[in-house]
Amino acid sequence: MICIVISFFDNINGPRPLLSIPNTLNDIDLNNIASLIDKTFETGFFIYEFPEYKTANYFFEIESEWARGNKEMVLLTIVFDLNFDYNSLDLQTIMNDFINELSNITNLFKAFYIFDFNRKKDNEVKFYYEKLKELIIDFKGSLPKETLAVNQNQIKIFVFGLDRAGKSTILNRAKTNLFVKTSPTINLNIMHLLFGNIQLDCFDVSGQKRYRYTWRRFIVSSQYLVFVLDVNREDRYEEAKIELWKVLSYEESKGIPLLILINKTDLKKKIDLNYFINFLNLYKIKDRKWHIMSTSALYNQGIKEAFEYIIKDLLSNQLTMFSM
Ligand SMILES: Nc1nc2c(ncn2[C@@H]2O[C@H](COP(=O)(O)OP(=O)(O)OP(=O)(O)O)[C@@H](O)[C@H]2O)c(=O)[nH]1
Ligand SMILES: [Mg+2]
């Protein structure tokens, strides 16, 4: 999949793209996609093929207090590579379900006024625009794997570590820039983070003992492993080390690079990363690249840097692959 585009019918300018996730197409392509609104008169699903890519579209309406006729006319488009075979998927149902979800959100129509000179300063307009963006990111992340077959912009990350290490808090911080109070994760939570054009699908597993046996099956096809350790729980260092090495020994994890995050640094005066390199026997890792960093999700330290590091590392690998 190349991207997902939302377009709408602007009363003054006609069909217009509102947002694209990720932002991979140029303005001409985006306008061409938006103009598909003119090709249809009825709400519903349709396929359209451009010379360079294919699109699956759903034209629908959203109740709106601000629009003429009290409705925004909206087009949801999934853009695929030309070699994508959509016959195997029930895209119509998938898109329809998502649109039903959108239609149930009161005031979502305000998102469509982000370009409106008179309204764009309205905080609610910004709020609903951001909300819509989040929903599209989540929708993209929830699409069946087949749709992602040739997507270099989507990266799966496996985040593990003991319970209460701070995995979910770190991911929430990275996603919203806020310190979010978490509940213990049950089984698995998938968090979609967007950095520029790159989407990270973070598989945030539960660290509780009774769920650890499930980790193995979530590792498959990950491109990065992130291990989180609570620096304040010295009594659990040994347990953490055992779990880390268990994952490193799995066939499924072979060769996948590892980032270790020593978290909750706000609770310690001094952090010596060398201590953890030695304690965790990191120098014994020979079958993959590894790196260690410290973070505080509470103070928002090191979080952005950690994800930037992962992306940079993966991109530099891609570049070396291309130049080979
Ligand atoms: N002081 C401090 N507390 C943190 C930090 N990160 C997380 N916490 C707290 O640690 C507790 C556990 O955080 P979670 O993110 O739920 O931990 P988790 O690793 O996802 O745990 P499970 O889902 O049970 O595996 C919560 O009370 C967080 O608020 C941090 O950087 N500093
Ligand atoms: Mg959690």
Side-chain angles (χ1 to χ4, degrees), residues 1-2 78-81 84 89 91 94 140 142-151 154:
M1 188 209 315
I2 299 173
I78 310 182
V79 184
F80 296 104
D81 292 278
F84 177 71
L89 284 174
L91 283 171
I94 296 170
K140 185 167 181 290
S142 72
L143 285 170
K145 275 280 163 281
E146 296 92 308
T147 60
L148 314 171
V150 276
N151 187 356
Q154 195 157 10

Side-chain angles (χ1 to χ4, degrees), residues 163-169 179 182 185 207 263-264 266 296-298:
D163 45 296
R164 300 192 59 80
K167 301 177 291 296
S168 306
T169 313
F179 181 78
T182 54
T185 306
N263 188 40
K264 306 198 190 179
D266 53 277
S296 165
L298 181 64

